[in-house]
Amino acid sequence: MVVIEEEEALVSELQNQLQKEDLNPQEKIRLLNDGLSNALKLAAVQPHSDGLTRVKSRLYHSGILSQCALTLSLPPSRLRGSWSAAATLAHLTSSCCVGVEPGRRSEAFHKLLLPSVMDGLLSLASLLMSHAEHVSHFKKVMDSVGWLLSAHTHLTSQVLSSIHYEQIQMCEDASVCLLCMQLWIQICTVSRGFLSSLTDDSILLLLNEAVGQLAVMSDSAVGGASIKLILLMASQLGFRFRPLLMSFKGLDGLLLKDWKGRGFDQDIDQLIELIQSEKDARKSRVSSERERAACLIQAAWRSYRTRRRVKSLNRAVSALQRRYRAQRRQQQQQKEAHQWEEELKYQVCLRRQRARREFHQKQRRLLQLLPPDQVQAYLLECERRAAVKIQSCWRGFRDRRHYHNTLRKALKERRMRQQAARTLQRAVRRFLEKRRMAKARPLDLLWIGQKGLTDSRRAELKQQVEEYITVHKSSRVSPEECASLHEEAQLLLQAELQKGAQQRREEQRVEALLAHTRTQLELLRDAPPLGVVTETMAETFLTPAAAVAARARNAHNARLQADRLPWWKTLGEARTFGSAHLQELEAELEAKLGGLFIGGSAVVRKQTDVEKVKLLPEERGAAT
């Protein structure tokens, strides 16, 4: 009892100290290390074997192990400078998580605490692997992971799919990879039932890690450990492991090419022999399956052929059997229906007899309760009530029958009256319509004898229309507004025509320039080669204008300089030729080359377009 009180006091003191808010991560790690070490030492010196289990359970129920898991999951900035203490805390936490009796909180212990502790251990290991001076601490943390996995095998899938463990796998340091392989070898060696308790997905992930190390690493120690792990898995899992191993195609070629002659040829030969035996077995299974499939197909074909022959030969027998079976089925159904009716009648009679018997028994019990002098009166009253009930039923039936007969007759008579009234009304309407049509005067057809409007009639209608317009003036638009709108429409039309004339002049200029350019191109295309050309022939292609030549030379130099520029300096530049540039080129050509005929001067064409726009007052009114 004294030892138990000391344990509880030690755990309570540690719990109270952890509840302080002014503890930094280093102090908290040191406090947890001291408290866990003292608690485990106190439990280890006890003579009873259940002392250690009791202390670990007490640490779990008090929440100290949850504090350890949270501390191990701290970011690296808060753990910097205390890697040794963190590794010691990881070792003590994994030791305390093995052998705990959670009791009623078993589900929370296995699904919440253990995954959080494992995640903290892997996070700490991924931080320690990047520091070469902390290799011993990394080994200590990985030993803690192995110790926890050997006791709780359901955490294997979490470890193999963890992001932190993937970071450890991607490390290029051979010592880190060797420690990972040795971890799994040690777990499989110590716990014989570890691999058998894993699922196929977890085994495939572990095998994938070993094969990946063989494919990526070139260190002999890592390769030997990976091959040893694969052989250990094959020996413990047996036939369950071989299909998973065959999913890695080309593994035997990789072993022969990259790992032969490294000092563990015997293990390599054993693994290659295992792979080859599985391949031979698979080939034999495939061949046997093919033979079985061929036999099955042949048997199916023979049975189909036999059935077709029998069917063609024995159609009469089949028809006879079908008819016999149908008749027997019909007889069986009739027999079952007759039995069902007899059973139903029997049940109805039985229920009636039972009800009658119960009624008589009830009546007998009631009679026994009555005094002797009231029995006769009671029987008479029963007879009277029965007679009244029978009479009421008969009268109700008779009255309902009479009512239905009377209602049916009344409905029939009403329907006949309505039909007769409709017939009479229809005949009267027809008679009245015929008499009305006979009394009415026939209408004269307007189109008969009419040849069209005469001039006098047309003038008369026009005068009527004008008088109507004069009398009924429009209240929406005044004559002044109509005149202003007419002037605005004329101005807009004139502007649009002038705009079209300007566009046509620009198009004519562009066509003239293009015609001149095509002429020059045709002369250049038909020119003789440079080897036989003379000075006189070359002068014919030179322009007589010095300004044009200078402009062409400057443009050529500018183009050469632009072609030498980097591509990113020419982004956003657009070489467009607007109307102003075309007019400038036209002016230069007219000044230096004597001008081009474009179809008249601009002044004359402008006057011509304006004259076209001018409209007579009568034409404006007609257009409006």
Side-chain angles (χ1 to χ4, degrees), residues 50 75 111 179 227 231 251 271-272 319 329 465 503 557 566:
D50 58 344
K111 293 185 178 180
L179 284 175
I227 294 174
L231 291 175
L251 180 58
L271 183 56
I272 292 174
R329 191 183 305 108
V465 171
Q503 291 179 356
N557 294 333

Side-chain angles (χ1 to χ4, degrees), residues 392-440:
S392 64
C393 291
W394 165 248
R395 293 191 186 99
F397 167 73
R398 184 183 60 187
D399 293 340
R400 282 193 297 272
R401 185 176 61 181
H402 182 265
Y403 172 76
H404 287 306
N405 294 334
T406 306
L407 182 62
R408 192 181 299 109
K409 290 180 180 179
L411 290 175
K412 187 175 180 180
E413 292 177 358
R414 181 180 177 183
R415 195 179 300 111
M416 291 176 65
R417 286 196 298 270
Q418 289 178 355
Q419 186 67 24
R422 282 195 292 268
T423 304
L424 292 174
Q425 290 174 1
R426 190 184 305 113
V428 170
R429 289 193 188 99
R430 288 179 180 176
F431 170 73
L432 294 175
E433 184 69 23
K434 289 180 180 179
R435 190 171 64 175
R436 191 183 302 111
M437 291 176 65
K439 290 181 179 182

Side-chain angles (χ1 to χ4, degrees), residues 94 98 118 121-122 139-152 159 182-184 186-188 190-191 194:
S94 63
V98 178
M118 182 59 71
L121 294 176
L122 294 176
K139 186 176 183 304
K140 190 174 184 180
V141 175
M142 293 304 292
D143 292 340
S144 302
V145 173
W147 176 252
L148 192 60
L149 281 177
S150 60
H152 304 283
V159 173
Q182 289 177 354
L183 167 69
W184 295 112
Q186 183 180 359
I187 294 174
C188 296
V190 173
S191 180
F194 173 74

